[in-house]
Amino acid sequence: MNLTRGRAAREDLAQAAMSAARHVAEGLGCADDSALQTPVRLQGPSDSGEPQPTDPANACGMADFRLPDAALLKGKAEPGTERATGSGSKTRVCELTMKGPGAPRITLAVSEDPTLTQGVRRDETVTPQNTRTVSAGAAGDLYVAVNYDNTYRDLLLDAGNASHEQARTALFKAFFDTVAKDRGCRTT
C-alpha cells in the first residue's frame, strides 16, 4: 500500500489494508481469518524511503538483476528511480519508476511468507506466464511476481503485441531467475 498524496500514520494504513482484506475474504466465504490479523511488524521503505536511481545492472539493489532490453523502450521507458522495502522481512517489494511519458511503473515482489505462498498456491491462474508464481526453494515456497501500471502496459502495447509479450516474459524471467538463484530455487 502506498500513499502518494497527503499524510497518514503507517499503522492506520496497515489497518485499512487488513480491513479491506478481511472484507474481501469474508465476501469469498473464507472462514479462516487468522492470517488477516493486524500485522505485528510493519515493513516500510529502506533507508529514507526516497526513490534512488536505478542501476540497470543491479536493479532493486539485487546483484546481477538486469532490466532486459526487451523491457525498455528508448525515450519512453528507461531506467529511472526505485524504492524498495527494507531488509529483514519475509516479503520484499521494489517499485521501479521509469523515465518516460507518464512515469511508467513496474512493481516486483518476492515473499517467503507461508500465509501468502499457501494462498497463492490455491489460485489456479498463478503461472509464470501470468507473471506470478510460487516455486519450491531450498528454504520453502517462494512467491515471485511482476506487475506494471497501465502507463507501462500501454507503451508496450503501442510498440506492438509481440513487444508487449516479449517484455513481459523477459522481465519476469530475469527477475525470477535472479531471485531463484539467490534463494536456492530452480530457475526457469
Side-chain angles (χ1 to χ4, degrees), residues 160-185:
N161 194 44
S163 294
H164 174 260
E165 288 301 315
Q166 187 179 28
R168 187 176 66 94
T169 301
L171 185 57
F172 182 79
K173 182 176 179 358
F175 182 59
F176 179 86
D177 286 351
T178 301
V179 169
K181 181 181 173 187
D182 183 57
R183 307 287 173 91
C185 299

Side-chain angles (χ1 to χ4, degrees), residues 36-110:
L36 299 174
Q37 300 306 312
T38 303
V40 176
R41 179 176 171 270
L42 295 174
Q43 180 69 38
S46 61
D47 303 324
S48 68
E50 294 299 316
Q52 302 298 314
T54 298
D55 176 351
N58 298 292
C60 294
M62 299 174 63
D64 298 325
F65 172 49
R66 297 183 181 279
L67 294 174
D69 290 339
L72 303 174
L73 298 169
K74 187 156 182 72
K76 296 180 180 181
E78 296 180 348
T81 61
E82 62 187 52
R83 284 182 3 158
T85 53
S87 59
S89 175
K90 290 182 180 183
T91 300
R92 186 163 192 268
V93 177
C94 177
E95 181 180 69
L96 299 167
T97 302
M98 310 293 277
K99 289 181 189 173
R105 284 192 304 248
I106 301 168
T107 305
L108 309 158
V110 61

Side-chain angles (χ1 to χ4, degrees), residues 102-117:
R105 284 192 304 248
I106 301 168
T107 305
L108 309 158
V110 61
S111 181
E112 297 169 307
D113 187 324
T115 302
L116 179 61
T117 58

Side-chain angles (χ1 to χ4, degrees), residues 106-148:
I106 301 168
T107 305
L108 309 158
V110 61
S111 181
E112 297 169 307
D113 187 324
T115 302
L116 179 61
T117 58
Q118 290 169 16
V120 172
R121 277 213 182 270
R122 291 185 210 130
D123 184 350
E124 295 174 4
T125 67
V126 175
T127 65
Q129 295 77 25
N130 200 21
T131 64
R132 58 189 182 119
T133 193
V134 175
S135 181
D141 283 347
L142 185 68
Y143 171 73
V144 180
V146 176
N147 295 299
Y148 42 84

